[in-house]
Amino acid sequence: MSRYSRRTLLKAGAAFAGASAIGFPSIVSGQGEKIKIGHLTPLTGFLGALGAYAQLGIRMAEAEINAAGGVMGRQLDITSEDSVNPATAATKAQRMLDQDGVAVLMGEINSASALTIMQVAERNKRLFMQIGARSDALRGKNCNRYTFHVDIPSTVMVNAVGKALVRDNMMKDKKFYTLTADYIFGHDLARAAKAFFDGNGGKLIGDELVATDVTDFSPYLLKIRQAKPDVVCSNLAGNQVTNLVKQYAEFGLPYPIVGFNLNTADAWAAGDGNLSGTWPTVWYHTSDVPDSKAFVTSFIKKYGKPPENHAWIEYVSLKMMAKAMNETKSTETDKLIGYFEKETQFDILKGRRGYFRSWDHQLMQEAYPFTVKPKGQAKDQWDTLQLGAAVPAPSESLESIALTKEQNPCSM
């Protein structure tokens, strides 16, 4: 999906090789040359629907930034590709740095792929803005100086929903049965969920690891029926969630279902009346924040549908990166890291501004629980969810729902 010719690509690669040979941390280029950004996101597989929205969001931000004069008077040029799987993601990230001449890497949703891109960024001492992967381990034991994380991590999602369950008397002395995606993100989510259950009087009576390519959930639903839990909890990802809730509705199980992870594209795909319960989100298009409303209006005008949360997060991420480059007047890795580590505040189209924590590079921001509208109340296919109040409350620190230094093993 690259936009430049073979000749241009070879010239960019030669320029990069020359700059690298004399120790520059980023591309040395003339004022008129474009600033190239390498963007990786899954466009196929169980996260493909989310990656499609991610591309729309970052492309919209790119167009707006370029129409307003670009960055440091130069146009942005995003090379966006399907990350496919962890090995392919790492190979493509390395190629983007070596051959395509990108200044920074951005993107990803799959936590396993994000980890391999993080390793490429650290090995090459180049910046990676990790946008959509949520595993605690990425900003914990696997953190590194060259990666900044935008999306809310597993623990924040568990806390956002868990607090709502405590409020609604659905936690203390309740028996939980969980279904967990069998990869790094799902494992992290399951650990955070069990910790919340243990700390708030819930009891985990069963957990099933589910491969990411599973589409038939009937064996798991039969086990749930036998276990007779009080609450069923999803620790799944991508279209796993869509398939689960559709089949859960067909089985007619009487136990309420909640989840610690859900992206709105997967919620919309579930269909009216199939999804129920309380779930977390990082953003939703019905947000009452004026700047968020303006973004939604522009997105609908451009694409004919409302933005999903991965469209929003990619949009604000590129805007943050552009601001950092403009204010440092540089694409150099060390200068950009220093700018983000100052805990600079950014408008992220929410009620409160966000900032990257200096010691683990996690964006501090509001999260939200949401519930599902009863069948028949949705005005259209995108009007199925009811956004709850922001967490934490306005009187609380943004860090009150995040892991503390004592809880997070991140060491840079």
Side-chain angles (χ1 to χ4, degrees), residues 309-359:
N309 52 276
H310 281 286
W312 160 82
I313 203 167
E314 298 267 348
Y315 177 88
V316 297
S317 292
L318 188 60
K319 292 294 182 87
M320 288 191 288
M321 183 65 76
K323 179 180 178 182
M325 290 177 175
N326 268 326
E327 296 203 358
T328 59
K329 295 180 172 56
S330 178
T331 61
E332 292 184 13
T333 299
D334 286 342
K335 289 184 179 179
L336 294 172
I337 290 174
Y339 179 81
F340 290 128
E341 285 187 342
K342 289 191 303 182
E343 301 194 349
T344 305
Q345 302 238 338
F346 295 95
D347 178 7
I348 54 173
L349 312 185
K350 292 186 175 184
R352 299 165 72 174
R353 288 175 170 265
Y355 63 91
F356 290 100
R357 237 175 5 186
S358 61
W359 60 270

Side-chain angles (χ1 to χ4, degrees), residues 37 58-72 74-76 78 315-323 326:
I37 292 175
I58 203 165
R59 291 296 183 193
M60 181 170 165
E62 176 192 28
E64 289 182 4
I65 292 166
N66 285 341
V71 173
M72 297 182 290
R74 297 158 61 188
Q75 297 284 283
L76 295 182
I78 295 179
Y315 177 88
V316 297
S317 292
L318 188 60
K319 292 294 182 87
M320 288 191 288
M321 183 65 76
K323 179 180 178 182
N326 268 326

Side-chain angles (χ1 to χ4, degrees), residues 249-260:
E250 290 171 1
F251 261 68
L253 295 177
Y255 322 112
I257 184 169
V258 300
F260 290 133

Side-chain angles (χ1 to χ4, degrees), residues 9 34 42 73 84 91 111 114 122-123 143 154 159 203 207 231 256 287 353 360 364 379-380 388 392 406:
L9 192 149
K34 294 180 178 180
V84 184
T91 299
S111 291
E122 183 175 36
R123 188 165 61 245
C143 73
S154 303
N159 287 344
K203 183 180 180 182
D207 178 54
V231 183
S287 168
R353 288 175 170 265
D360 67 350
M364 293 292 103
K379 291 179 290 187
D380 54 45
E406 291 71 30

